[in-house]
Each structure stands twice: as structure tokens, then as C-alpha cells.
Amino acid sequence: MEHWKITVKGKVQGVYFRASTKAVADHLGLKGMVYNQPDGHSVYIEAEGSLFALESLLEFCKEGPDKAEVSDVLCQRSTDLLGYRNFEIIKKPHQ
């Protein structure tokens, strides 16, 4: 089990990126969260699960849904688990 923090940049807001990410994460059995960054041009993801599932999510993030235009994907990997119970779309993150 690993914990990854992923930031996806580009045209990734308003194109169902969060909903698509949740669908992929649920299919892969990942736990965590996704939300739009306040900058209007990036999405932040935290996910926990198997290495295979996380690598599969990262591959999805490089393309995104049909209308997305991904310009960059940053990933920080950790073995420190937070123990998420499911994968959620967060509307407004706590600042």
C-alpha cells in the first residue's frame, strides 16, 4: 500500500476530470480524494492503494477525460497512509 499526491495541470476544470477520476479510482479500488485547486488550472488528488492501481490512476491522469488538455502531472509518493475509507470528490477543500 502506498499514498500518492498527484497534481494535474492544464485544462482540467470544467471537463468532468474529478468525476472521471473518481470513477477510475473506484474501479481500481483506490481510496482518497480529488478537488479543483483555487488557481482554476489544476486538480489535486490524494490516493491510497496498491502500486498497480496507483500507477494505473497516474496513467489516466496523463490523459484525463475527453475534453481535458493535460499539460503536466506531478506526483509525490509516500508509504505514510492516512486511512481513507472511500474515494471522494471534495467541492471546496479546507484552506
Side-chain angles (χ1 to χ4, degrees), residues 3 30-33 44 46-48 81-88:
H3 176 101
L30 293 169
K31 310 296 184 205
M33 64 175 178
Y44 179 76
E46 286 198 23
E48 295 181 347
L81 301 178
L82 298 181
Y84 289 105
R85 293 187 178 157
N86 53 26
F87 197 93
E88 295 183 58

Side-chain angles (χ1 to χ4, degrees), residues 73-93:
V73 179
L74 308 170
C75 180
Q76 289 182 304
R77 301 173 182 205
S78 172
T79 55
D80 297 332
L81 301 178
L82 298 181
Y84 289 105
R85 293 187 178 157
N86 53 26
F87 197 93
E88 295 183 58
I89 296 172
I90 306 296
K91 298 297 182 191
K92 288 189 177 183

Side-chain angles (χ1 to χ4, degrees), residues 23-86:
V24 170
D26 286 345
H27 178 75
L28 293 169
L30 293 169
K31 310 296 184 205
M33 64 175 178
V34 58
Y35 62 82
N36 286 338
Q37 296 274 47
D39 64 10
H41 304 287
S42 61
V43 170
Y44 179 76
I45 303 163
E46 286 198 23
E48 295 181 347
S50 70
L51 182 60
F52 174 79
L54 290 164
E55 287 174 341
S56 298
L57 178 65
L58 190 62
E59 286 304 308
F60 163 78
C61 288
K62 292 176 182 176
E63 298 293 324
D66 288 343
K67 295 181 181 180
E69 295 174 14
V70 176
S71 62
D72 197 14
V73 179
L74 308 170
C75 180
Q76 289 182 304
R77 301 173 182 205
S78 172
T79 55
D80 297 332
L81 301 178
L82 298 181
Y84 289 105
R85 293 187 178 157
N86 53 26

